[in-house]
Amino acid sequence: MGIVFAPLGLVLVFTAAITPQWREGQARLAMAGPGPPPRSGLKGQGPGIRPGSVEALLLLRSDGLWESCLQVAQSELKQCWPVAGSYQRDPRVRLAQGLVLTSLFLCGTGIVLACIGVRCWSDLPLRGVAATGGLFVVLAGLLSLSALGVYTHNLGRLGMEHPGQPINNPKFPHLSLRPAGSLYFGWLGSCIQVLGGSALLLSFKRPRCPSCPSCPELPACPMCCSCPEINNRPETEVYEVSC
């Protein structure tokens, strides 16, 4: 379970880190569109109305840890750029970046230690090394969970130097921000990391040999000890098992 869950969690957290969908918002931008010339109003009324003279353009804005994107809905017009400005300088964004990078490094190190400790090509595993790898994976999951918690809690205020200020150019309308898909990938991957690391950390216990009935304080293994009450039992069979 640990060997499978730890790499899976690493892949999910890495996917969340490099994608720019940590938060997203929509805004409608009014644009003047083509239409017939205005008709003069009736006598005593105001000027005529030009039908179809205003079109609403739906803009989709998304931000990640290292990249932001702007896309026009229902079209292929999309532009992405590295995070900049007040959003990049926000200490909470920098904290999330540092926690995620540290989490990825610890999880990768833990997976390497776990593979060395499990040693499927050998009869006996290195339990201490495997447990240390599991501890690193658990710490990685907790760090990524902390980064996600900080970002989610301050999602609507990141990059705003003053409360209520738009997140980008003042000419743009206010965007209603909400969590996006990358956050869910990160939450899932972090939880999987904690589960996989806990499995590695807790499952490697030193095996206990059966005790000799005559000397209960001394461990007695049928393969390596000379306890007559164990070795002389006719129903005792010893099998050699190799990985």
Side-chain angles (χ1 to χ4, degrees):
M1 178 179 174
I3 290 297
V4 173
F5 276 22
L8 179 59
L10 177 64
V11 171
L12 290 174
V13 173
F14 179 75
T15 303
I18 63 175
T19 51
Q21 283 81 29
W22 281 57
R23 69 177 185 180
E24 62 183 12
Q26 298 181 356
R28 292 189 178 275
L29 186 64
M31 295 182 60
R39 295 175 298 176
S40 59
L42 299 177
K43 187 177 180 180
Q45 296 181 358
I49 300 174
R50 182 167 59 186
S53 60
V54 177
E55 294 181 355
L57 193 64
L58 183 60
L59 299 178
L60 306 177
R61 168 72 182 264
S62 61
D63 294 307
L65 291 182
W66 286 276
E67 191 178 34
S68 298
C69 294
L70 186 65
Q71 181 180 7
V72 179
Q74 298 178 353
S75 71
E76 297 181 357
L77 297 177
K78 183 177 181 180
Q79 184 178 4
C80 296
W81 61 92
V83 293
S86 57
Y87 180 79
Q88 181 190 21
R89 296 189 300 268
D90 195 299
R92 294 160 294 192
V93 175
R94 291 184 174 273
L95 176 62
Q97 291 174 344
L99 290 176
V100 169
L101 289 178
T102 306
S103 169
L104 293 174
F105 174 76
L106 284 179
C107 188
T109 305
I111 291 173
V112 173
L113 291 176
C115 293
I116 296 175
V118 171
R119 295 201 313 171
C120 287
W121 59 89
S122 178
D123 293 336
L124 296 176
L126 300 175
R127 294 176 177 84
V129 177
T132 303
L135 179 61
F136 280 15
V137 175
V138 171
L139 291 177
L142 294 178
L143 287 178
S144 55
L145 284 174
S146 301
L148 292 162
V150 169
Y151 193 97
T152 305
H153 181 69
N154 303 282
L155 186 141
R157 300 187 295 270
L158 296 174
M160 296 185 184
E161 297 179 355
H162 304 286
Q165 173 186 337
I167 65 172
N168 43 20
N169 196 306
K171 296 181 180 180
F172 278 71
H174 180 70
L175 297 178
S176 57
L177 298 171
R178 63 179 183 273
S182 298
L183 282 180
Y184 301 112
F185 276 104
W187 287 111
L188 179 60
S190 302
C191 294
I192 290 177
Q193 283 180 347
V194 173
L195 291 176
S198 300
L200 283 170
L201 183 61
L202 302 177
S203 62
F204 281 94
K205 296 181 180 180
R206 205 167 285 277
R208 307 183 70 178
C209 296
S211 58
C212 178
S214 301
C215 307
E217 69 277 1
L218 298 176
C221 290
M223 297 180 61
C224 56
C225 299
S226 58
C227 178
E229 298 186 24
I230 293 181
N231 291 336
N232 293 337
R233 290 166 55 183
E235 65 273 12
T236 301
E237 297 181 358
V238 178
Y239 298 92
E240 181 180 356
V241 179
S242 60
C243 208

